[in-house]
Amino acid sequence: MLLLTSVLKYTKAQKLTHEERRIVHNVNKKMPHTIQLLKELVNINSGTLNIEGVKKVGEVLGKQFESIGFTTTWVTLPDSLKRAGHLVAYKKGHRGKKLFLIGHLDTVFEPDMPANPYRKLNDTTATGQGANDMKGGDLVILAALQALQSAGLLKDVSITAYFTGDEEKTGIPIEVSRADFIERAKQSDIALGFEGAQGLNTVATARRGASGWKLKVYGKQGHSGGIFSNGYGAIYEAARIINTFREELSEEQYLTFNPGVFVGGSEVVYDSANMRADVSGKTNIISPSAIVQGDLRFLTDKQKEAARAKMKTIALTNNLAGTRAEILFTDNIPGMEPTEGNNRLLKVLSKVTADLGFGPTKAGDPGSRGAGDISYIAKYVDCLDGLGASGRGAHAPGETINLAEFPQLIQRAALLIYRLTR
Ligand SMILES: [Zn+2]
């Protein structure tokens, strides 16, 4: 009997509190407004380089935050970066954990690409530029906070909602375009990223980082007839190196490297910023020059450094006769490493989804995600990402949002924010 009582108690504790039921109710009540706002935001083109469009999205979103008691500010960037800047909406208090919520205003769709105005494809699916990535995610943040506000549950909490204007094509140098972002995140305890969700029961506790490399190979120019006796030339050697990278490193979990451009010949003028080349050569001339440029994606710094060391060894040793090579590495976005702190957040979220009746939440495969803004701050605060809207085909024309899961994902976010700020 005693056992039965405690089981019952436990079951009861699993359910939502009175306040939490109100939050869920508020989310549902507001859905028509949320969908209307989604339509409005999707129909404003905000390709990263469309500065006016990105600002316009920030303006619409900023007003919504102000109406629920947030202070907003626009972070400007130097003109040389050619980016719109970022929207920050914040509220300071003393209750619970200090949260840093991450969205972005821009999309990959520039104004010269075919337009795709918001439209419903069926009862549960809509399409439109950024519907999922990530105007839908931005609205998960807003609608969750609106639901908490209407229930009077935002009093004295500390929340910063940060919407970058250049997530899809980050302004260079990154130390400038992300300086304010990193500074504000450091003042928080927890960062929650609202990039695309993979259903109701998955979240990202880790994301891969991205970096670059450039291989330059030199050979001795000469008559093609002497290629196997006088020196193999730059093209054979570059091919050997790239193929050896694949043979020796392609089995490692979470590690990928993709040669994006491969050029070689007698005359090679290469513009690495734009990845363009002017190349010429002759079939009867052994190529003196080859260049390959690619990316390198990794989960941890340790993995990145180990891969670089191996690639360097492959490029600099056992070169084919008459050739030599050099390889340069560049940092881009750090990885969001799987940490204890991130796993603790996963447990809180898993209880939220279980209590909502959606079932528990698991960590997704870090290999299935690219790098994102949250990665810049992952070493300073505990992080979760993938809390946004769900859908298909992000970055592709015809991207869709799942409207059936949308309210549930907002409920999930609202309860997570609520529990973390108590
Ligand atoms: Zn995104």
Side-chain angles (χ1 to χ4, degrees):
M1 194 60 207
L2 190 69
L3 184 70
L4 185 63
T5 318
S6 59
V7 167
L8 279 174
K9 242 185 187 166
Y10 179 71
T11 317
K12 207 166 183 189
Q14 291 282 305
K15 290 181 185 159
L16 304 182
T17 64
H18 174 67
E19 274 84 11
E20 290 177 335
R21 282 199 298 273
R22 262 172 67 208
I23 296 168
V24 171
H25 172 78
N26 289 349
V27 169
N28 294 338
K29 210 173 76 186
K30 195 90 180 177
M31 276 319 290
H33 174 261
T34 305
I35 296 288
Q36 188 52 40
L37 206 51
L38 177 67
K39 189 173 169 182
E40 185 182 348
L41 292 184
V42 163
N43 287 343
I44 302 169
N45 177 284
S46 64
T48 313
L49 304 179
N50 178 6
I51 291 182
E52 281 317 304
V54 173
K55 284 184 174 165
K56 183 84 193 116
V57 171
E59 225 171 83
V60 174
L61 212 48
K63 283 207 183 93
Q64 296 288 327
F65 277 93
E66 282 163 17
S67 72
I68 53 168
F70 279 68
T71 306
T72 63
T73 180
W74 188 260
V75 178
T76 55
L77 296 171
D79 288 347
S80 57
L81 269 70
K82 300 193 177 71
R83 296 294 184 273
H86 317 302
L87 169 70
V88 188
Y90 63 91
K91 199 174 183 312
K92 291 193 167 152
H94 302 92
R95 188 158 197 184
K97 301 283 189 199
K98 294 194 190 89
L99 304 187
F100 189 77
L101 315 178
I102 305 167
H104 62 81
L105 307 169
D106 63 321
T107 71
V108 295
F109 306 102
E110 296 296 339
D112 61 355
M113 296 164 128
N116 180 26
Y118 181 90
R119 65 180 202 283
K120 269 184 94 165
L121 299 176
N122 58 48
D123 281 353
T124 55
T125 317
T127 185
Q129 293 175 339
N132 165 20
D133 183 14
M134 77 173 277
K135 286 165 181 175
D138 295 339
L139 289 178
V140 171
I141 300 177
L142 176 70
L145 295 174
Q146 283 172 333
L148 292 169
Q149 161 71 14
S150 315
L153 298 170
L154 283 184
K155 285 185 203 107
D156 206 30
V157 301
S158 239
I159 295 176
T160 298
Y162 205 113
F163 300 91
T164 58
D166 58 349
E167 198 273 343
E168 302 291 3
K169 208 172 185 345
T170 309
I172 304 289
I174 286 167
E175 301 81 68
V176 175
S177 62
R178 288 296 174 272
D180 181 77
F181 179 80
I182 294 169
E183 210 35 62
R184 286 180 201 259
K186 278 182 180 171
Q187 294 159 28
S188 311
D189 302 309
I190 290 168
L192 303 176
F194 289 79
E195 289 283 4
Q198 295 168 337
L200 302 175
N201 303 98
T202 309
V203 76
T205 53
R207 294 186 71 149
R208 295 199 297 166
S211 64
W213 51 270
K214 190 165 82 173
L215 175 73
K216 281 177 154 181
V217 183
Y218 306 90
K220 262 194 297 191
Q221 187 164 337
H223 191 283
S224 62
I227 189 151
F228 300 135
S229 45
N230 298 337
Y232 287 85
I235 293 179
Y236 269 128
E237 173 59 359
R240 178 199 72 83
I241 293 170
I242 295 298
N243 193 48
T244 311
F245 286 171
R246 183 185 60 81
E247 283 175 349
E248 294 193 11
L249 287 160
S250 65
E251 301 283 298
E252 195 174 318
Q253 196 181 20
Y254 304 133
L255 183 75
T256 59
F257 40 89
N258 170 51
V261 169
F262 193 134
V263 289
S266 308
E267 305 281 340
V268 178
V269 181
Y270 187 63
D271 166 7
S272 55
N274 297 304
M275 294 185 70
R276 286 180 171 279
D278 264 335
V279 194
S280 62
K282 281 191 170 172
T283 54
N284 62 359
I285 296 178
I286 295 171
S287 60
S289 176
I291 294 175
V292 190
Q293 191 175 346
D295 76 344
L296 171 71
R297 290 167 189 268
F298 54 89
L299 192 58
T300 63
D301 260 8
K302 205 173 139 199
Q303 182 173 46
K304 178 186 78 181
E305 292 305 334
R308 284 180 176 181
K310 279 189 198 159
M311 290 167 86
K312 207 168 167 182
T313 305
I314 293 165
L316 304 193
T317 57
N318 300 319
N319 298 109
L320 292 175
T323 69
R324 68 186 174 85
E326 56 192 46
I327 186 163
L328 297 165
F329 297 100
T330 46
D331 281 325
N332 186 3
I333 304 180
M336 169 176 149
E337 307 194 1
T339 64
E340 274 307 303
N342 298 358
N343 276 329
R344 278 195 299 273
L345 283 177
L346 168 64
K347 283 193 187 117
V348 177
L349 181 66
S350 186
K351 184 145 191 336
V352 165
T353 50
D355 293 353
L356 277 165
F358 305 160
T361 295
K362 289 192 192 75
D365 173 12
S368 71
R369 278 183 181 272
D373 270 335
I374 200 166
S375 308
Y376 295 113
I377 54 169
K379 64 175 165 208
Y380 307 114
V381 289
D382 295 338
C383 294
L384 283 184
D385 203 350
L387 289 162
S390 58
R392 280 174 194 275
H395 292 198
E399 153 183 358
T400 63
I401 178 169
N402 180 330
L403 295 174
E405 288 180 352
F406 198 34
Q408 295 169 306
L409 289 166
I410 298 170
Q411 293 164 15
R412 168 173 98 157
L415 289 199
L416 177 64
I417 292 168
Y418 173 69
R419 291 188 184 180
L420 291 174
T421 51
R422 290 311 108 179

